[in-house]
Amino acid sequence: MRNDVRELRLAAGLSQRELGEVLQVSRQTVNSIETGRYDPSLPLAIAIARHFHSTVEEIFHVDN
């Protein structure tokens, strides 16, 4: 699944560590989500969307 987390994080001026702190996950988890190695749980995806004032569907893109 592709996502726009990295682009949104950079536009907000946040490091992976800072975003991880806000979401209560590790920097490594943020990195894994950004690179597509890890698909977040639904609660985490919702938290990411809320943080960026967006929706899960706008941030995460299912590859068909």
Side-chain angles (χ1 to χ4, degrees), residues 2-22:
R2 296 179 301 103
N3 67 72
D4 300 326
V5 175
R6 182 175 191 275
E7 292 80 4
L8 291 166
R9 176 182 60 77
L10 291 174
L14 296 171
S15 68
Q16 289 178 341
R17 180 187 56 79
E18 291 167 329
L19 181 57
E21 288 175 359
V22 169

Side-chain angles (χ1 to χ4, degrees), residues 16-58:
Q16 289 178 341
R17 180 187 56 79
E18 291 167 329
L19 181 57
E21 288 175 359
V22 169
L23 300 171
Q24 299 181 334
V25 298
S26 69
R27 178 201 63 78
Q28 291 87 349
T29 297
V30 173
N31 179 272
S32 293
I33 292 168
E34 289 182 355
T35 58
R37 289 192 314 264
Y38 172 72
D39 291 333
S41 65
L42 184 56
L44 181 53
I46 290 169
I48 291 167
R50 285 183 178 163
H51 179 75
F52 292 114
H53 307 286
S54 189
T55 65
V56 171
E57 295 85 358
E58 290 174 328

